[in-house]
Amino acid sequence: MSNKQFSHLDSQGRARMVDVTDKSETRRQAVAGARLRMQPATLAMIRDNAHPKGDVLATARIAGIQAAKKTWDLIPLCHPLMLTGVKVEIEPEGDDCLVITALCKLKGVTGVEMEALTAASVAALTLYDMCKAVDRGMVIEQVCLLEKQGGRSGHFVRDAPGSDDD
Amino acid sequence: MSNKQFSHLDSQGRARMVDVTDKSETRRQAVAGARLRMQPATLAMIRDNAHPKGDVLATARIAGIQAAKKTWDLIPLCHPLMLTGVKVEIEPEGDDCLVITALCKLKGVTGVEMEALTAASVAALTLYDMCKAVDRGMVIEQVCLLEKQGGRSGHFVRDAPGSDDD
Amino acid sequence: MSNKQFSHLDSQGRARMVDVTDKSETRRQAVAGARLRMQPATLAMIRDNAHPKGDVLATARIAGIQAAKKTWDLIPLCHPLMLTGVKVEIEPEGDDCLVITALCKLKGVTGVEMEALTAASVAALTLYDMCKAVDRGMVIEQVCLLEKQGGRSGHFVRDAPGSDDD
Amino acid sequence: MSNKQFSHLDSQGRARMVDVTDKSETRRQAVAGARLRMQPATLAMIRDNAHPKGDVLATARIAGIQAAKKTWDLIPLCHPLMLTGVKVEIEPEGDDCLVITALCKLKGVTGVEMEALTAASVAALTLYDMCKAVDRGMVIEQVCLLEKQGGRSGHFVRDAPGSDDD
Amino acid sequence: MSNKQFSHLDSQGRARMVDVTDKSETRRQAVAGARLRMQPATLAMIRDNAHPKGDVLATARIAGIQAAKKTWDLIPLCHPLMLTGVKVEIEPEGDDCLVITALCKLKGVTGVEMEALTAASVAALTLYDMCKAVDRGMVIEQVCLLEKQGGRSGHFVRDAPGSDDD
Amino acid sequence: MSNKQFSHLDSQGRARMVDVTDKSETRRQAVAGARLRMQPATLAMIRDNAHPKGDVLATARIAGIQAAKKTWDLIPLCHPLMLTGVKVEIEPEGDDCLVITALCKLKGVTGVEMEALTAASVAALTLYDMCKAVDRGMVIEQVCLLEKQGGRSGHFVRDAPGSDDD
């Protein structure tokens, strides 16, 4: 790691938006994940609601998609970009956890991992918001990059996603 | 928990912004936390940068404060509110972790835990963004409410914050 | 109407944000409506989707609620305000129409009719967006104020709402 | 219509932002319209103001242009895009109606009809806002797509625009 | 000045949003100014346009008003607040200058000088944008606070506004 | 200058977003400057803070970068665009002035001078905000374009930047 650097800082440690003017467009995508750990009774309520007409999961999906589009505004040194596809999935895992997976796609000059991570985080926060009246002790865990394609850094796949904090 | 409900859904499971028109103003505050787990070499680089003039931690603090102010725009059913104080602190823990703590304050009719959680999450995402060129495997862990005061639900303090995932 | 004026213009016709500094807070609410006229086959598809798990109506409700919170940013001379309750309802009418009703509430110094109208409009636009792949000829009709309470102008109820364009 | 689908939903009815990563750029434009129906006395006041220096129409034009640029933020599943031209025109029709026409242009991978519809809607809402102190019964009517060019769906022109509700 | 401090930094120099939770509401207002210096021919064009129907000045007024409402989003440590009145005036001065004056009002716990300064700055930038095709050498000068009332710091009036750089 | 026109107005003086649909992409950049004049004691405090860990300059840099990305939202007739690089530098000059320099880059169809000017202005406003508790008489001066490259108008360099108000 000796020759690596924080690309978002100049040689004097000052923040800047990295110059990508001369990079060429490629097809890019990233997948990020998050987990919301809760009491089993809370997950049971979400499941009950989820079936017929409840808006809990739909609201969180929408919030995640919209947050992906605002990543450039939330993360100060992110480049503005025009996402060409976003998908947020939320699935229960065991009896006390919701797993959020966010996929972002782009034909452009910068990667979209921050967009996928932001989508997953905000979807998790939205689920928290909708359930906090019944369970204040929920925890968002394991927000991380699962997979990334396109760009110079090549194909990244996280080893055994989620395994290291269970 | 039998008589609890998801306050953000009406009796048919449809999303709404809860009516707080007739609640009276009280002094409220909430503290939320998050952790960013990284390689020891990454934390060492941040420490080196943090001393003289580096902008890594300052950028994340600013991003967290700004995100707190935008919570109503990010989380669909959150009420707009006028925060009267926000503070984001970032401290290293051990040799591979940054601990983010966000405090939000308000004199108003709704709690500010979502604002504190959003500030902590976005500060963590910003740190991730600034360090991802050197460490793609970082994980945001343990985003949760640590303390909450004001409002009908009384004083909440999380037991042994952070203890359960270490 | 001889002594009425456009309050948003000064004596020389220039736009300004009306000074409400010295008005006192009162409880206010407004209800606005909109209709989305479409082909019967389109409405049939929405109904089919609406039952088990489809997100069409939920997405439009969320979009309407979020737009209400952004009214001050969309309508140049609107005052910023802190809505204390928002509800958006969408119901089919006959075989070719969705009726959107938006309710906004506030304890404050300005009315919330623009917020309710904006919520209804954006919910209708969102429904249009989600259905346009199957029906490009949809029309948004009858966006209007249905009821308004609070403030000096008293209680307003629209006569026979919706009757005049059917 | 049997083989048509709601493109914004996946096979299980869940909202997503449609993947357009592999579509090729083309020149696109869309024209949308809206009508604001009011009392003749209100229109007379606008006409009086419009001539020398009044800001009513200018404010609405600006609001429409700015809203077009924010469509991706208002309509949850819209793609972010970079409009290359926007024009909003407002003309009186008869003695009780303002007709708003919005044109949006783009070289890109997605259509711009939602941008044109949003511009027309927000311009109409802004006119409503500026005139509501003198006329609370105004109605926004006939928000619809008038013309669309570019993209796979070909050239669309609405038949006799506005004819069906007059 | 020996006992003064940067209120936006904590004792270790870290940015924070100052805690105003316990301050009491008062009536506040601030007036800020800016000047846009240009070639006389440019000002002549604006004057010609300003008379009958031109949108140059109206667009700048609107932009200034809207920017005042977004100050909390632009200036990282500003508190969100609900302006109760905004007015932007633009007048020619001599043959080569436009003078922008912005007034902001609030009943609240924080001052509104940043809002007035932001309104004046963005109105000046908007004028620059609209005129830059004919005059690229324009300069925005003398952006400063002219007057401030309300709050603990008392009544401030700038001495001979604009005198010191002419 | 006889054949020049305000490009942002149509033939009747009405605001529009100029149509750039058919312009071809080129590499563009612009540099803008601003000065914040203050009391020598204020600058001394900033210098003291700037060395070890203070966030004053970092906060202003971040605010400038973020404002550049929002220029399309602040300046009504600006085109949305995707900046590919932004840098904001702040240096003291003499004993009573901070000089802000903002560089914006883009591969696109429109110039980025408004983005650079907006970044410089908002960085200056942010510095003002952080220092106003100790010095209310600060003045932002000399906000202007210093250099511009790319596009049909060729290479522009301001003569002796800043010379005329010193």
Side-chain angles (χ1 to χ4, degrees):
Chain A
M1 190 176 291
S2 57
N3 61 349
K4 286 189 175 181
Q5 290 177 335
F6 290 142
S7 56
H8 292 41
L9 301 182
D10 68 12
S11 59
Q12 294 182 274
R14 294 182 299 216
R16 62 177 175 183
M17 200 168 88
V18 180
D19 186 354
V20 297
T21 314
D22 295 322
K23 291 179 70 177
S24 52
E25 284 202 344
T26 59
R27 216 175 167 287
R28 291 151 186 281
Q29 74 176 51
V31 181
R35 275 174 165 69
L36 182 65
R37 187 79 57 186
M38 60 189 68
Q39 294 181 25
T42 310
L43 184 56
M45 286 181 72
I46 295 172
R47 284 177 188 272
D48 287 349
N49 172 267
H51 286 303
K53 58 194 156 342
D55 286 355
V56 171
L57 302 188
T59 303
R61 278 192 293 266
I62 296 298
I65 291 170
Q66 287 184 294
K69 295 191 271 183
K70 286 181 209 176
T71 301
W72 61 270
D73 187 40
L74 289 172
I75 312 295
L77 303 179
C78 274
H79 293 82
L81 48 75
M82 292 194 302
L83 290 170
T84 50
V86 184
K87 194 167 186 178
V88 175
E89 293 183 329
I90 305 166
E91 298 292 341
E93 185 185 74
D95 69 345
D96 69 348
C97 187
L98 284 174
V99 178
I100 299 113
T101 312
L103 162 69
C104 290
K105 290 180 151 192
L106 174 75
K107 188 150 53 174
V109 300
T110 52
V112 290
E113 67 194 274
M114 291 316 302
E115 282 70 19
L117 286 160
T118 301
S121 292
V122 172
L125 289 166
T126 300
L127 291 169
Y128 184 106
D129 179 48
M130 299 189 83
C131 301
K132 70 182 191 292
V134 301
D135 185 357
R136 181 157 293 137
M138 289 173 290
V139 180
I140 299 172
E141 297 175 350
Q142 196 72 9
V143 182
C144 62
L145 182 65
L146 298 178
E147 188 174 353
K148 185 173 188 286
Q149 282 176 280
R152 273 179 308 191
S153 58
H155 193 171
F156 166 88
V157 181
R158 189 175 185 83
D159 300 329
S163 65
D164 52 76
D165 80 333
D166 287 339
Chain B
M1 189 177 290
S2 58
N3 61 349
K4 287 189 175 180
Q5 288 178 336
F6 290 141
S7 55
H8 292 39
L9 301 182
D10 68 13
S11 59
Q12 294 184 274
R14 294 181 298 216
R16 61 176 176 185
M17 201 170 88
V18 179
D19 186 355
V20 296
T21 314
D22 296 321
K23 292 180 69 177
S24 51
E25 283 201 344
T26 60
R27 213 176 169 287
R28 290 151 186 282
Q29 72 176 52
V31 181
R35 278 175 163 69
L36 182 64
R37 187 79 58 187
M38 59 189 68
Q39 294 182 24
T42 310
L43 185 56
M45 286 181 71
I46 294 173
R47 284 178 187 271
D48 288 349
N49 173 265
H51 287 303
K53 58 194 157 342
D55 286 356
V56 171
L57 302 188
T59 303
R61 278 192 293 267
I62 296 297
I65 291 170
Q66 288 185 295
K69 294 191 272 183
K70 287 180 210 176
T71 302
W72 61 270
D73 186 40
L74 289 172
I75 312 295
L77 304 178
C78 274
H79 293 82
L81 47 75
M82 294 193 302
L83 290 170
T84 50
V86 184
K87 193 168 187 177
V88 174
E89 293 183 329
I90 304 167
E91 299 291 340
E93 185 186 74
D95 69 346
D96 69 347
C97 188
L98 284 175
V99 177
I100 298 114
T101 312
L103 163 69
C104 288
K105 289 180 150 193
L106 173 76
K107 188 151 50 173
V109 298
T110 51
V112 290
E113 67 195 273
M114 291 316 301
E115 282 71 18
L117 286 160
T118 301
S121 292
V122 171
L125 288 166
T126 300
L127 292 168
Y128 184 105
D129 179 49
M130 298 188 81
C131 301
K132 70 181 192 292
V134 301
D135 184 356
R136 182 157 292 136
M138 289 173 290
V139 180
I140 300 173
E141 295 175 354
Q142 195 72 8
V143 182
C144 62
L145 182 65
L146 298 178
E147 188 173 354
K148 183 173 188 287
Q149 282 177 281
R152 275 178 308 190
S153 58
H155 193 171
F156 166 86
V157 181
R158 189 175 184 82
D159 300 328
S163 65
D164 52 76
D165 79 334
D166 288 339
Chain C
M1 191 177 288
S2 57
N3 60 351
K4 286 189 174 180
Q5 291 177 335
F6 290 142
S7 55
H8 292 40
L9 302 183
D10 67 14
S11 60
Q12 296 182 272
R14 294 182 298 217
R16 61 177 176 184
M17 201 169 88
V18 180
D19 185 356
V20 297
T21 315
D22 296 321
K23 291 179 71 176
S24 52
E25 283 200 347
T26 59
R27 213 175 169 288
R28 291 152 187 281
Q29 72 176 53
V31 181
R35 275 172 164 71
L36 181 65
R37 188 80 56 187
M38 60 189 68
Q39 294 182 25
T42 311
L43 185 56
M45 286 181 71
I46 295 172
R47 284 179 189 271
D48 288 349
N49 172 266
H51 286 303
K53 57 191 159 342
D55 286 355
V56 171
L57 302 187
T59 303
R61 278 192 293 267
I62 295 299
I65 290 170
Q66 288 184 293
K69 294 191 272 182
K70 287 180 209 176
T71 302
W72 61 269
D73 186 38
L74 288 172
I75 313 294
L77 304 178
C78 275
H79 294 83
L81 47 75
M82 293 194 302
L83 291 170
T84 51
V86 184
K87 192 167 185 177
V88 175
E89 293 183 329
I90 304 167
E91 298 293 341
E93 185 186 72
D95 69 345
D96 69 348
C97 188
L98 284 175
V99 178
I100 299 113
T101 311
L103 162 69
C104 290
K105 290 179 150 194
L106 173 76
K107 188 152 50 173
V109 298
T110 52
V112 291
E113 67 195 273
M114 291 316 302
E115 282 70 18
L117 286 160
T118 301
S121 292
V122 172
L125 288 166
T126 301
L127 290 169
Y128 184 106
D129 179 49
M130 298 188 83
C131 301
K132 69 179 192 292
V134 301
D135 185 356
R136 182 156 293 137
M138 289 173 290
V139 180
I140 299 172
E141 297 175 353
Q142 196 70 10
V143 182
C144 63
L145 181 66
L146 298 177
E147 188 174 352
K148 183 172 190 287
Q149 282 176 280
R152 275 178 306 188
S153 58
H155 193 171
F156 166 88
V157 180
R158 189 177 185 81
D159 299 329
S163 65
D164 51 77
D165 79 333
D166 286 340
Chain D
M1 190 176 289
S2 58
N3 61 350
K4 288 189 172 178
Q5 289 178 337
F6 291 143
S7 56
H8 293 40
L9 302 182
D10 68 12
S11 59
Q12 294 182 273
R14 294 181 299 216
R16 61 175 176 184
M17 200 169 88
V18 179
D19 186 354
V20 296
T21 314
D22 296 322
K23 291 179 70 177
S24 51
E25 283 200 346
T26 60
R27 216 176 167 284
R28 290 150 188 279
Q29 73 176 52
V31 181
R35 277 173 163 69
L36 182 65
R37 187 80 57 186
M38 60 188 67
Q39 293 183 24
T42 310
L43 185 56
M45 286 181 71
I46 294 173
R47 282 178 189 271
D48 288 350
N49 172 266
H51 286 303
K53 57 192 161 337
D55 287 356
V56 171
L57 302 188
T59 303
R61 277 192 292 267
I62 296 298
I65 291 170
Q66 288 185 294
K69 294 191 272 183
K70 287 180 208 176
T71 302
W72 62 269
D73 186 40
L74 289 172
I75 312 295
L77 304 179
C78 274
H79 294 83
L81 47 76
M82 292 193 303
L83 290 170
T84 50
V86 184
K87 192 166 187 178
V88 175
E89 293 182 329
I90 305 167
E91 299 292 340
E93 185 185 73
D95 69 345
D96 69 347
C97 187
L98 285 174
V99 178
I100 298 113
T101 312
L103 163 68
C104 290
K105 289 181 151 192
L106 174 75
K107 187 150 52 174
V109 299
T110 53
V112 289
E113 68 194 273
M114 291 317 300
E115 282 70 18
L117 286 160
T118 301
S121 292
V122 171
L125 289 166
T126 300
L127 291 169
Y128 184 106
D129 179 48
M130 299 188 82
C131 301
K132 69 181 192 291
V134 300
D135 185 356
R136 181 156 294 136
M138 289 173 291
V139 180
I140 299 173
E141 295 175 353
Q142 196 71 8
V143 183
C144 63
L145 181 65
L146 299 178
E147 188 174 353
K148 183 172 189 286
Q149 282 177 280
R152 274 178 307 189
S153 57
H155 192 172
F156 166 87
V157 181
R158 189 175 185 80
D159 299 329
S163 66
D164 52 77
D165 79 333
D166 286 339
Chain E
M1 191 176 290
S2 58
N3 62 347
K4 286 189 176 180
Q5 289 179 335
F6 290 142
S7 55
H8 292 40
L9 301 182
D10 68 13
S11 60
Q12 295 182 273
R14 293 181 299 216
R16 61 177 175 183
M17 200 169 88
V18 180
D19 186 355
V20 297
T21 314
D22 295 322
K23 291 179 70 177
S24 51
E25 283 201 346
T26 60
R27 214 174 168 286
R28 292 150 186 281
Q29 73 176 52
V31 182
R35 276 173 164 70
L36 181 64
R37 188 79 58 187
M38 59 188 69
Q39 293 182 26
T42 311
L43 184 56
M45 286 181 72
I46 295 173
R47 283 179 190 270
D48 288 349
N49 172 267
H51 286 302
K53 55 193 160 341
D55 287 357
V56 171
L57 302 187
T59 304
R61 278 192 292 268
I62 296 298
I65 291 169
Q66 287 184 296
K69 294 190 273 183
K70 286 181 211 176
T71 302
W72 61 270
D73 186 39
L74 289 173
I75 312 294
L77 304 179
C78 274
H79 294 82
L81 47 75
M82 293 193 302
L83 290 170
T84 51
V86 184
K87 193 167 186 177
V88 175
E89 293 182 330
I90 305 167
E91 298 293 341
E93 184 186 72
D95 69 345
D96 69 347
C97 187
L98 285 175
V99 178
I100 298 112
T101 312
L103 163 68
C104 289
K105 290 180 150 193
L106 174 75
K107 187 148 59 173
V109 299
T110 52
V112 290
E113 67 195 272
M114 291 316 302
E115 282 70 18
L117 287 160
T118 301
S121 292
V122 171
L125 289 166
T126 300
L127 291 169
Y128 183 105
D129 179 48
M130 298 188 82
C131 301
K132 68 180 193 293
V134 300
D135 185 357
R136 181 156 294 136
M138 289 173 290
V139 179
I140 299 172
E141 297 175 352
Q142 196 72 9
V143 182
C144 62
L145 182 64
L146 299 178
E147 188 174 353
K148 183 173 189 285
Q149 282 177 280
R152 274 178 308 189
S153 57
H155 193 170
F156 166 87
V157 182
R158 189 175 186 82
D159 300 329
S163 65
D164 52 76
D165 79 335
D166 286 340
Chain F
M1 192 178 288
S2 58
N3 60 350
K4 286 188 174 180
Q5 291 177 334
F6 290 143
S7 55
H8 292 40
L9 302 182
D10 68 13
S11 59
Q12 295 183 273
R14 293 181 300 216
R16 61 177 177 184
M17 203 170 88
V18 180
D19 185 355
V20 297
T21 314
D22 295 322
K23 291 179 70 177
S24 51
E25 284 202 342
T26 60
R27 216 176 167 283
R28 292 151 186 281
Q29 72 176 53
V31 181
R35 278 174 162 68
L36 181 65
R37 187 80 55 187
M38 60 189 69
Q39 294 182 25
T42 311
L43 185 56
M45 286 181 71
I46 295 173
R47 282 179 188 272
D48 288 351
N49 172 267
H51 286 305
K53 58 193 158 340
D55 287 355
V56 172
L57 301 187
T59 303
R61 276 192 294 267
I62 295 299
I65 290 169
Q66 287 184 295
K69 294 190 273 182
K70 286 179 210 177
T71 301
W72 62 270
D73 186 40
L74 289 172
I75 313 294
L77 303 179
C78 275
H79 294 83
L81 46 76
M82 293 194 301
L83 290 170
T84 50
V86 184
K87 192 167 187 178
V88 175
E89 293 182 330
I90 304 167
E91 298 292 341
E93 184 185 73
D95 68 345
D96 69 347
C97 189
L98 285 174
V99 178
I100 298 113
T101 311
L103 163 68
C104 290
K105 289 179 152 194
L106 174 74
K107 188 151 52 174
V109 298
T110 52
V112 289
E113 66 194 273
M114 291 316 302
E115 282 70 17
L117 286 160
T118 301
S121 292
V122 172
L125 289 166
T126 301
L127 291 169
Y128 183 106
D129 179 49
M130 299 188 82
C131 301
K132 70 181 192 292
V134 300
D135 185 356
R136 181 156 295 137
M138 289 174 288
V139 180
I140 300 173
E141 297 174 353
Q142 196 71 9
V143 182
C144 63
L145 181 65
L146 298 178
E147 188 174 352
K148 182 172 189 286
Q149 282 177 279
R152 276 177 307 188
S153 58
H155 193 172
F156 166 88
V157 181
R158 190 178 184 80
D159 299 329
S163 64
D164 52 76
D165 79 335
D166 286 340

